[in-house]
PDB file of all heavy atoms in Angstrom:
ATOM      1  N   ALA A 303      -7.847 -22.351 -14.231  1.00 90.00           N
ATOM      2  CA  ALA A 303      -7.365 -21.463 -13.172  1.00 90.00           C
ATOM      3  C   ALA A 303      -5.855 -21.578 -13.023  1.00 90.00           C
ATOM      4  O   ALA A 303      -5.291 -22.669 -13.130  1.00 90.00           O
ATOM      5  CB  ALA A 303      -8.043 -21.822 -11.852  1.00 90.00           C
ATOM      6  N   GLY A 304      -5.192 -20.465 -12.797  1.00 86.00           N
ATOM      7  CA  GLY A 304      -3.743 -20.448 -12.631  1.00 86.00           C
ATOM      8  C   GLY A 304      -3.286 -19.150 -12.008  1.00 86.00           C
ATOM      9  O   GLY A 304      -4.026 -18.173 -11.978  1.00 86.00           O
ATOM     10  N   ASN A 305      -2.058 -19.131 -11.525  1.00 84.00           N
ATOM     11  CA  ASN A 305      -1.485 -17.926 -10.929  1.00 84.00           C
ATOM     12  C   ASN A 305      -0.881 -17.056 -12.011  1.00 84.00           C
ATOM     13  O   ASN A 305       0.262 -17.224 -12.392  1.00 84.00           O
ATOM     14  CB  ASN A 305      -0.429 -18.299  -9.883  1.00 84.00           C
ATOM     15  CG  ASN A 305      -1.038 -18.962  -8.686  1.00 84.00           C
ATOM     16  OD1 ASN A 305      -2.074 -18.524  -8.210  1.00 84.00           O
ATOM     17  ND2 ASN A 305      -0.433 -20.031  -8.204  1.00 84.00           N
ATOM     18  N   MET A 306      -1.661 -16.142 -12.520  1.00 83.00           N
ATOM     19  CA  MET A 306      -1.219 -15.256 -13.591  1.00 83.00           C
ATOM     20  C   MET A 306      -1.246 -13.794 -13.142  1.00 83.00           C
ATOM     21  O   MET A 306      -1.413 -12.899 -13.958  1.00 83.00           O
ATOM     22  CB  MET A 306      -2.102 -15.445 -14.827  1.00 83.00           C
ATOM     23  CG  MET A 306      -1.974 -16.807 -15.480  1.00 83.00           C
ATOM     24  SD  MET A 306      -0.390 -17.069 -16.295  1.00 83.00           S
ATOM     25  CE  MET A 306      -0.507 -15.911 -17.640  1.00 83.00           C
ATOM     26  N   LEU A 307      -1.103 -13.560 -11.862  1.00 86.00           N
ATOM     27  CA  LEU A 307      -1.097 -12.197 -11.344  1.00 86.00           C
ATOM     28  C   LEU A 307       0.327 -11.664 -11.434  1.00 86.00           C
ATOM     29  O   LEU A 307       1.170 -11.934 -10.575  1.00 86.00           O
ATOM     30  CB  LEU A 307      -1.585 -12.178  -9.891  1.00 86.00           C
ATOM     31  CG  LEU A 307      -1.652 -10.813  -9.213  1.00 86.00           C
ATOM     32  CD1 LEU A 307      -2.622  -9.903  -9.957  1.00 86.00           C
ATOM     33  CD2 LEU A 307      -2.064 -10.959  -7.769  1.00 86.00           C
ATOM     34  N   TYR A 308       0.622 -10.960 -12.501  1.00 91.00           N
ATOM     35  CA  TYR A 308       1.960 -10.438 -12.765  1.00 91.00           C
ATOM     36  C   TYR A 308       1.879  -8.971 -13.105  1.00 91.00           C
ATOM     37  O   TYR A 308       0.858  -8.510 -13.590  1.00 91.00           O
ATOM     38  CB  TYR A 308       2.603 -11.177 -13.954  1.00 91.00           C
ATOM     39  CG  TYR A 308       2.939 -12.619 -13.690  1.00 91.00           C
ATOM     40  CD1 TYR A 308       2.299 -13.641 -14.390  1.00 91.00           C
ATOM     41  CD2 TYR A 308       3.882 -12.977 -12.746  1.00 91.00           C
ATOM     42  CE1 TYR A 308       2.608 -14.970 -14.155  1.00 91.00           C
ATOM     43  CE2 TYR A 308       4.195 -14.305 -12.503  1.00 91.00           C
ATOM     44  CZ  TYR A 308       3.555 -15.297 -13.209  1.00 91.00           C
ATOM     45  OH  TYR A 308       3.859 -16.599 -12.966  1.00 91.00           O
ATOM     46  N   PRO A 309       2.953  -8.199 -12.949  1.00 93.00           N
ATOM     47  CA  PRO A 309       4.242  -8.557 -12.365  1.00 93.00           C
ATOM     48  C   PRO A 309       4.160  -8.596 -10.846  1.00 93.00           C
ATOM     49  O   PRO A 309       3.247  -8.045 -10.239  1.00 93.00           O
ATOM     50  CB  PRO A 309       5.169  -7.445 -12.835  1.00 93.00           C
ATOM     51  CG  PRO A 309       4.288  -6.252 -12.941  1.00 93.00           C
ATOM     52  CD  PRO A 309       2.945  -6.797 -13.386  1.00 93.00           C
ATOM     53  N   VAL A 310       5.159  -9.239 -10.259  1.00 94.00           N
ATOM     54  CA  VAL A 310       5.292  -9.324  -8.805  1.00 94.00           C
ATOM     55  C   VAL A 310       6.734  -8.978  -8.438  1.00 94.00           C
ATOM     56  O   VAL A 310       7.633  -9.082  -9.271  1.00 94.00           O
ATOM     57  CB  VAL A 310       4.931 -10.733  -8.283  1.00 94.00           C
ATOM     58  CG1 VAL A 310       3.449 -11.008  -8.428  1.00 94.00           C
ATOM     59  CG2 VAL A 310       5.735 -11.810  -8.982  1.00 94.00           C
ATOM     60  N   PRO A 311       6.971  -8.561  -7.197  1.00 95.00           N
ATOM     61  CA  PRO A 311       8.353  -8.284  -6.812  1.00 95.00           C
ATOM     62  C   PRO A 311       9.186  -9.563  -6.812  1.00 95.00           C
ATOM     63  O   PRO A 311       8.678 -10.626  -6.468  1.00 95.00           O
ATOM     64  CB  PRO A 311       8.240  -7.732  -5.387  1.00 95.00           C
ATOM     65  CG  PRO A 311       6.810  -7.765  -5.013  1.00 95.00           C
ATOM     66  CD  PRO A 311       6.020  -8.341  -6.128  1.00 95.00           C
ATOM     67  N   ALA A 312      10.413  -9.464  -7.217  1.00 96.00           N
ATOM     68  CA  ALA A 312      11.371 -10.569  -7.086  1.00 96.00           C
ATOM     69  C   ALA A 312      12.258 -10.198  -5.911  1.00 96.00           C
ATOM     70  O   ALA A 312      13.054  -9.268  -6.001  1.00 96.00           O
ATOM     71  CB  ALA A 312      12.193 -10.719  -8.355  1.00 96.00           C
ATOM     72  N   VAL A 313      12.087 -10.905  -4.792  1.00 98.00           N
ATOM     73  CA  VAL A 313      12.827 -10.560  -3.582  1.00 98.00           C
ATOM     74  C   VAL A 313      13.684 -11.734  -3.137  1.00 98.00           C
ATOM     75  O   VAL A 313      13.409 -12.888  -3.480  1.00 98.00           O
ATOM     76  CB  VAL A 313      11.890 -10.121  -2.434  1.00 98.00           C
ATOM     77  CG1 VAL A 313      11.049  -8.919  -2.847  1.00 98.00           C
ATOM     78  CG2 VAL A 313      11.003 -11.263  -1.963  1.00 98.00           C
ATOM     79  N   MET A 314      14.710 -11.429  -2.382  1.00 98.00           N
ATOM     80  CA  MET A 314      15.497 -12.466  -1.732  1.00 98.00           C
ATOM     81  C   MET A 314      15.138 -12.428  -0.250  1.00 98.00           C
ATOM     82  O   MET A 314      15.272 -11.379   0.396  1.00 98.00           O
ATOM     83  CB  MET A 314      16.993 -12.244  -1.948  1.00 98.00           C
ATOM     84  CG  MET A 314      17.416 -12.481  -3.382  1.00 98.00           C
ATOM     85  SD  MET A 314      19.211 -12.533  -3.619  1.00 98.00           S
ATOM     86  CE  MET A 314      19.647 -10.808  -3.411  1.00 98.00           C
ATOM     87  N   VAL A 315      14.667 -13.559   0.256  1.00 98.00           N
ATOM     88  CA  VAL A 315      14.319 -13.661   1.666  1.00 98.00           C
ATOM     89  C   VAL A 315      15.472 -14.359   2.380  1.00 98.00           C
ATOM     90  O   VAL A 315      15.857 -15.475   2.020  1.00 98.00           O
ATOM     91  CB  VAL A 315      12.999 -14.442   1.846  1.00 98.00           C
ATOM     92  CG1 VAL A 315      12.731 -14.716   3.323  1.00 98.00           C
ATOM     93  CG2 VAL A 315      11.845 -13.652   1.233  1.00 98.00           C
ATOM     94  N   SER A 316      16.026 -13.670   3.357  1.00 98.00           N
ATOM     95  CA  SER A 316      17.127 -14.255   4.134  1.00 98.00           C
ATOM     96  C   SER A 316      16.584 -14.742   5.466  1.00 98.00           C
ATOM     97  O   SER A 316      15.652 -14.174   6.036  1.00 98.00           O
ATOM     98  CB  SER A 316      18.260 -13.243   4.322  1.00 98.00           C
ATOM     99  OG  SER A 316      17.767 -12.001   4.782  1.00 98.00           O
ATOM    100  N   CYS A 317      17.178 -15.831   5.931  1.00 98.00           N
ATOM    101  CA  CYS A 317      16.739 -16.452   7.181  1.00 98.00           C
ATOM    102  C   CYS A 317      17.915 -17.221   7.761  1.00 98.00           C
ATOM    103  O   CYS A 317      18.966 -17.342   7.127  1.00 98.00           O
ATOM    104  CB  CYS A 317      15.549 -17.379   6.930  1.00 98.00           C
ATOM    105  SG  CYS A 317      15.822 -18.607   5.643  1.00 98.00           S
ATOM    106  N   ALA A 318      17.735 -17.737   8.953  1.00 98.00           N
ATOM    107  CA  ALA A 318      18.785 -18.551   9.584  1.00 98.00           C
ATOM    108  C   ALA A 318      18.146 -19.426  10.643  1.00 98.00           C
ATOM    109  O   ALA A 318      17.107 -19.086  11.216  1.00 98.00           O
ATOM    110  CB  ALA A 318      19.859 -17.666  10.218  1.00 98.00           C
ATOM    111  N   GLY A 319      18.788 -20.557  10.900  1.00 97.00           N
ATOM    112  CA  GLY A 319      18.340 -21.440  11.965  1.00 97.00           C
ATOM    113  C   GLY A 319      18.928 -21.023  13.295  1.00 97.00           C
ATOM    114  O   GLY A 319      19.799 -20.155  13.367  1.00 97.00           O
ATOM    115  N   ARG A 320      18.475 -21.648  14.331  1.00 96.00           N
ATOM    116  CA  ARG A 320      19.003 -21.352  15.674  1.00 96.00           C
ATOM    117  C   ARG A 320      20.490 -21.681  15.772  1.00 96.00           C
ATOM    118  O   ARG A 320      21.212 -21.110  16.586  1.00 96.00           O
ATOM    119  CB  ARG A 320      18.226 -22.118  16.733  1.00 96.00           C
ATOM    120  CG  ARG A 320      16.793 -21.669  16.863  1.00 96.00           C
ATOM    121  CD  ARG A 320      16.108 -22.307  18.069  1.00 96.00           C
ATOM    122  NE  ARG A 320      14.665 -22.166  18.008  1.00 96.00           N
ATOM    123  CZ  ARG A 320      14.000 -21.049  18.241  1.00 96.00           C
ATOM    124  NH1 ARG A 320      14.648 -19.961  18.543  1.00 96.00           N
ATOM    125  NH2 ARG A 320      12.681 -21.025  18.160  1.00 96.00           N
ATOM    126  N   ASP A 321      20.959 -22.589  14.901  1.00 96.00           N
ATOM    127  CA  ASP A 321      22.375 -22.963  14.899  1.00 96.00           C
ATOM    128  C   ASP A 321      23.241 -21.964  14.130  1.00 96.00           C
ATOM    129  O   ASP A 321      24.451 -22.119  14.034  1.00 96.00           O
ATOM    130  CB  ASP A 321      22.563 -24.359  14.304  1.00 96.00           C
ATOM    131  CG  ASP A 321      22.158 -24.449  12.837  1.00 96.00           C
ATOM    132  OD1 ASP A 321      21.717 -23.430  12.247  1.00 96.00           O
ATOM    133  OD2 ASP A 321      22.272 -25.547  12.270  1.00 96.00           O
ATOM    134  N   GLY A 322      22.619 -20.921  13.566  1.00 94.00           N
ATOM    135  CA  GLY A 322      23.359 -19.881  12.852  1.00 94.00           C
ATOM    136  C   GLY A 322      23.516 -20.117  11.361  1.00 94.00           C
ATOM    137  O   GLY A 322      24.019 -19.247  10.649  1.00 94.00           O
ATOM    138  N   ARG A 323      23.091 -21.276  10.848  1.00 96.00           N
ATOM    139  CA  ARG A 323      23.207 -21.536   9.409  1.00 96.00           C
ATOM    140  C   ARG A 323      22.244 -20.634   8.652  1.00 96.00           C
ATOM    141  O   ARG A 323      21.036 -20.678   8.851  1.00 96.00           O
ATOM    142  CB  ARG A 323      22.924 -23.003   9.112  1.00 96.00           C
ATOM    143  CG  ARG A 323      22.924 -23.301   7.631  1.00 96.00           C
ATOM    144  CD  ARG A 323      23.898 -24.359   7.265  1.00 96.00           C
ATOM    145  NE  ARG A 323      23.963 -24.464   5.812  1.00 96.00           N
ATOM    146  CZ  ARG A 323      23.971 -25.599   5.161  1.00 96.00           C
ATOM    147  NH1 ARG A 323      23.943 -26.733   5.815  1.00 96.00           N
ATOM    148  NH2 ARG A 323      24.051 -25.605   3.854  1.00 96.00           N
ATOM    149  N   LYS A 324      22.794 -19.809   7.761  1.00 97.00           N
ATOM    150  CA  LYS A 324      22.025 -18.814   7.016  1.00 97.00           C
ATOM    151  C   LYS A 324      21.602 -19.372   5.657  1.00 97.00           C
ATOM    152  O   LYS A 324      22.266 -20.234   5.099  1.00 97.00           O
ATOM    153  CB  LYS A 324      22.864 -17.552   6.800  1.00 97.00           C
ATOM    154  CG  LYS A 324      23.287 -16.863   8.070  1.00 97.00           C
ATOM    155  CD  LYS A 324      24.139 -15.634   7.812  1.00 97.00           C
ATOM    156  CE  LYS A 324      25.507 -15.908   7.270  1.00 97.00           C
ATOM    157  NZ  LYS A 324      26.425 -16.597   8.130  1.00 97.00           N
ATOM    158  N   ASP A 325      20.516 -18.820   5.125  1.00 98.00           N
ATOM    159  CA  ASP A 325      20.056 -19.189   3.795  1.00 98.00           C
ATOM    160  C   ASP A 325      19.368 -17.998   3.148  1.00 98.00           C
ATOM    161  O   ASP A 325      18.967 -17.048   3.826  1.00 98.00           O
ATOM    162  CB  ASP A 325      19.097 -20.389   3.858  1.00 98.00           C
ATOM    163  CG  ASP A 325      18.830 -20.993   2.485  1.00 98.00           C
ATOM    164  OD1 ASP A 325      19.754 -20.981   1.634  1.00 98.00           O
ATOM    165  OD2 ASP A 325      17.711 -21.469   2.249  1.00 98.00           O
ATOM    166  N   ILE A 326      19.250 -18.087   1.833  1.00 98.00           N
ATOM    167  CA  ILE A 326      18.515 -17.102   1.038  1.00 98.00           C
ATOM    168  C   ILE A 326      17.603 -17.884   0.112  1.00 98.00           C
ATOM    169  O   ILE A 326      18.043 -18.822  -0.542  1.00 98.00           O
ATOM    170  CB  ILE A 326      19.460 -16.233   0.177  1.00 98.00           C
ATOM    171  CG1 ILE A 326      20.473 -15.495   1.039  1.00 98.00           C
ATOM    172  CG2 ILE A 326      18.649 -15.252  -0.674  1.00 98.00           C
ATOM    173  CD1 ILE A 326      21.612 -14.858   0.242  1.00 98.00           C
ATOM    174  N   VAL A 327      16.347 -17.490   0.051  1.00 98.00           N
ATOM    175  CA  VAL A 327      15.409 -18.083  -0.895  1.00 98.00           C
ATOM    176  C   VAL A 327      14.803 -16.952  -1.719  1.00 98.00           C
ATOM    177  O   VAL A 327      14.480 -15.889  -1.190  1.00 98.00           O
ATOM    178  CB  VAL A 327      14.318 -18.925  -0.183  1.00 98.00           C
ATOM    179  CG1 VAL A 327      13.488 -18.091   0.767  1.00 98.00           C
ATOM    180  CG2 VAL A 327      13.429 -19.648  -1.189  1.00 98.00           C
ATOM    181  N   THR A 328      14.691 -17.175  -3.015  1.00 97.00           N
ATOM    182  CA  THR A 328      14.055 -16.184  -3.882  1.00 97.00           C
ATOM    183  C   THR A 328      12.557 -16.415  -3.841  1.00 97.00           C
ATOM    184  O   THR A 328      12.086 -17.539  -3.992  1.00 97.00           O
ATOM    185  CB  THR A 328      14.585 -16.303  -5.314  1.00 97.00           C
ATOM    186  OG1 THR A 328      16.000 -16.075  -5.282  1.00 97.00           O
ATOM    187  CG2 THR A 328      13.934 -15.285  -6.228  1.00 97.00           C
ATOM    188  N   ILE A 329      11.823 -15.343  -3.638  1.00 96.00           N
ATOM    189  CA  ILE A 329      10.369 -15.403  -3.507  1.00 96.00           C
ATOM    190  C   ILE A 329       9.756 -14.378  -4.457  1.00 96.00           C
ATOM    191  O   ILE A 329      10.171 -13.225  -4.491  1.00 96.00           O
ATOM    192  CB  ILE A 329       9.933 -15.075  -2.055  1.00 96.00           C
ATOM    193  CG1 ILE A 329      10.520 -16.071  -1.056  1.00 96.00           C
ATOM    194  CG2 ILE A 329       8.417 -14.975  -1.951  1.00 96.00           C
ATOM    195  CD1 ILE A 329       9.873 -17.417  -1.031  1.00 96.00           C
ATOM    196  N   ALA A 330       8.760 -14.811  -5.215  1.00 94.00           N
ATOM    197  CA  ALA A 330       7.976 -13.879  -6.020  1.00 94.00           C
ATOM    198  C   ALA A 330       6.575 -13.720  -5.429  1.00 94.00           C
ATOM    199  O   ALA A 330       5.892 -12.760  -5.738  1.00 94.00           O
ATOM    200  CB  ALA A 330       7.895 -14.353  -7.468  1.00 94.00           C
ATOM    201  N   TRP A 331       6.178 -14.637  -4.583  1.00 92.00           N
ATOM    202  CA  TRP A 331       4.855 -14.561  -3.966  1.00 92.00           C
ATOM    203  C   TRP A 331       4.976 -13.917  -2.601  1.00 92.00           C
ATOM    204  O   TRP A 331       5.094 -14.568  -1.572  1.00 92.00           O
ATOM    205  CB  TRP A 331       4.234 -15.950  -3.881  1.00 92.00           C
ATOM    206  CG  TRP A 331       3.941 -16.523  -5.238  1.00 92.00           C
ATOM    207  CD1 TRP A 331       4.104 -15.914  -6.450  1.00 92.00           C
ATOM    208  CD2 TRP A 331       3.461 -17.820  -5.529  1.00 92.00           C
ATOM    209  NE1 TRP A 331       3.754 -16.757  -7.469  1.00 92.00           N
ATOM    210  CE2 TRP A 331       3.350 -17.935  -6.935  1.00 92.00           C
ATOM    211  CE3 TRP A 331       3.117 -18.912  -4.739  1.00 92.00           C
ATOM    212  CZ2 TRP A 331       2.903 -19.080  -7.558  1.00 92.00           C
ATOM    213  CZ3 TRP A 331       2.670 -20.057  -5.361  1.00 92.00           C
ATOM    214  CH2 TRP A 331       2.556 -20.133  -6.754  1.00 92.00           C
ATOM    215  N   THR A 332       4.989 -12.599  -2.618  1.00 95.00           N
ATOM    216  CA  THR A 332       5.098 -11.792  -1.407  1.00 95.00           C
ATOM    217  C   THR A 332       4.243 -10.550  -1.583  1.00 95.00           C
ATOM    218  O   THR A 332       3.976 -10.130  -2.703  1.00 95.00           O
ATOM    219  CB  THR A 332       6.570 -11.411  -1.133  1.00 95.00           C
ATOM    220  OG1 THR A 332       6.642 -10.691   0.094  1.00 95.00           O
ATOM    221  CG2 THR A 332       7.159 -10.566  -2.241  1.00 95.00           C
ATOM    222  N   GLY A 333       3.831  -9.977  -0.490  1.00 95.00           N
ATOM    223  CA  GLY A 333       3.035  -8.766  -0.623  1.00 95.00           C
ATOM    224  C   GLY A 333       2.669  -8.133   0.695  1.00 95.00           C
ATOM    225  O   GLY A 333       2.870  -8.694   1.773  1.00 95.00           O
ATOM    226  N   THR A 334       2.110  -6.943   0.581  1.00 96.00           N
ATOM    227  CA  THR A 334       1.625  -6.178   1.712  1.00 96.00           C
ATOM    228  C   THR A 334       0.301  -6.775   2.177  1.00 96.00           C
ATOM    229  O   THR A 334      -0.542  -7.128   1.355  1.00 96.00           O
ATOM    230  CB  THR A 334       1.418  -4.711   1.296  1.00 96.00           C
ATOM    231  OG1 THR A 334       2.677  -4.186   0.881  1.00 96.00           O
ATOM    232  CG2 THR A 334       0.865  -3.880   2.420  1.00 96.00           C
ATOM    233  N   VAL A 335       0.125  -6.867   3.472  1.00 95.00           N
ATOM    234  CA  VAL A 335      -1.105  -7.409   4.035  1.00 95.00           C
ATOM    235  C   VAL A 335      -1.877  -6.337   4.789  1.00 95.00           C
ATOM    236  O   VAL A 335      -3.090  -6.239   4.685  1.00 95.00           O
ATOM    237  CB  VAL A 335      -0.794  -8.607   4.968  1.00 95.00           C
ATOM    238  CG1 VAL A 335      -2.029  -9.087   5.688  1.00 95.00           C
ATOM    239  CG2 VAL A 335      -0.159  -9.734   4.188  1.00 95.00           C
ATOM    240  N   CYS A 336      -1.152  -5.498   5.538  1.00 95.00           N
ATOM    241  CA  CYS A 336      -1.803  -4.538   6.425  1.00 95.00           C
ATOM    242  C   CYS A 336      -0.841  -3.383   6.690  1.00 95.00           C
ATOM    243  O   CYS A 336       0.367  -3.576   6.667  1.00 95.00           O
ATOM    244  CB  CYS A 336      -2.145  -5.275   7.730  1.00 95.00           C
ATOM    245  SG  CYS A 336      -3.142  -4.372   8.895  1.00 95.00           S
ATOM    246  N   SER A 337      -1.395  -2.195   6.941  1.00 95.00           N
ATOM    247  CA  SER A 337      -0.519  -1.062   7.243  1.00 95.00           C
ATOM    248  C   SER A 337      -0.488  -0.704   8.722  1.00 95.00           C
ATOM    249  O   SER A 337       0.399   0.002   9.162  1.00 95.00           O
ATOM    250  CB  SER A 337      -0.922   0.165   6.416  1.00 95.00           C
ATOM    251  OG  SER A 337      -2.268   0.511   6.677  1.00 95.00           O
ATOM    252  N   ASP A 338      -1.449  -1.185   9.518  1.00 96.00           N
ATOM    253  CA  ASP A 338      -1.453  -0.913  10.951  1.00 96.00           C
ATOM    254  C   ASP A 338      -2.058  -2.096  11.687  1.00 96.00           C
ATOM    255  O   ASP A 338      -3.281  -2.213  11.722  1.00 96.00           O
ATOM    256  CB  ASP A 338      -2.228   0.364  11.260  1.00 96.00           C
ATOM    257  CG  ASP A 338      -2.102   0.773  12.716  1.00 96.00           C
ATOM    258  OD1 ASP A 338      -1.187   0.290  13.410  1.00 96.00           O
ATOM    259  OD2 ASP A 338      -2.946   1.567  13.168  1.00 96.00           O
ATOM    260  N   PRO A 339      -1.260  -3.024  12.223  1.00 96.00           N
ATOM    261  CA  PRO A 339       0.200  -3.017  12.226  1.00 96.00           C
ATOM    262  C   PRO A 339       0.749  -3.332  10.838  1.00 96.00           C
ATOM    263  O   PRO A 339       0.053  -3.928  10.012  1.00 96.00           O
ATOM    264  CB  PRO A 339       0.561  -4.129  13.213  1.00 96.00           C
ATOM    265  CG  PRO A 339      -0.588  -5.088  13.127  1.00 96.00           C
ATOM    266  CD  PRO A 339      -1.807  -4.233  12.867  1.00 96.00           C
ATOM    267  N   VAL A 340       1.993  -2.959  10.616  1.00 97.00           N
ATOM    268  CA  VAL A 340       2.619  -3.187   9.319  1.00 97.00           C
ATOM    269  C   VAL A 340       2.881  -4.689   9.184  1.00 97.00           C
ATOM    270  O   VAL A 340       3.648  -5.273   9.955  1.00 97.00           O
ATOM    271  CB  VAL A 340       3.936  -2.393   9.184  1.00 97.00           C
ATOM    272  CG1 VAL A 340       4.558  -2.644   7.819  1.00 97.00           C
ATOM    273  CG2 VAL A 340       3.679  -0.912   9.396  1.00 97.00           C
ATOM    274  N   MET A 341       2.207  -5.299   8.187  1.00 98.00           N
ATOM    275  CA  MET A 341       2.336  -6.744   8.000  1.00 98.00           C
ATOM    276  C   MET A 341       2.512  -7.071   6.529  1.00 98.00           C
ATOM    277  O   MET A 341       2.014  -6.358   5.652  1.00 98.00           O
ATOM    278  CB  MET A 341       1.118  -7.473   8.567  1.00 98.00           C
ATOM    279  CG  MET A 341       1.016  -7.353  10.074  1.00 98.00           C
ATOM    280  SD  MET A 341      -0.286  -8.377  10.772  1.00 98.00           S
ATOM    281  CE  MET A 341       0.434 -10.000  10.556  1.00 98.00           C
ATOM    282  N   VAL A 342       3.259  -8.152   6.276  1.00 98.00           N
ATOM    283  CA  VAL A 342       3.520  -8.652   4.928  1.00 98.00           C
ATOM    284  C   VAL A 342       3.315 -10.165   4.930  1.00 98.00           C
ATOM    285  O   VAL A 342       3.133 -10.774   5.993  1.00 98.00           O
ATOM    286  CB  VAL A 342       4.955  -8.318   4.465  1.00 98.00           C
ATOM    287  CG1 VAL A 342       5.154  -6.815   4.305  1.00 98.00           C
ATOM    288  CG2 VAL A 342       5.982  -8.903   5.428  1.00 98.00           C
TER     289      VAL A 342
END
């Protein structure tokens, strides 16, 4: 068994802490979950 579900989107996820320090992480494991409400 392995994660061989390809292709997947290559996205950059941006975030920040409460102190304002920003970061970007590259994520390939992302996807649509629901359309109402819109969830990912």
Side-chain angles (χ1 to χ4, degrees):
N305 292 317
M306 294 290 292
L307 181 61
Y308 292 115
V310 291
V313 301
M314 290 191 288
V315 172
S316 49
C317 53
R320 293 189 195 285
D321 64 0
R323 176 123 187 224
K324 299 179 291 294
D325 192 34
I326 302 168
V327 61
T328 300
I329 299 285
W331 294 356
T332 183
T334 299
V335 173
C336 188
S337 58
D338 187 17
V340 180
M341 294 187 71
V342 294

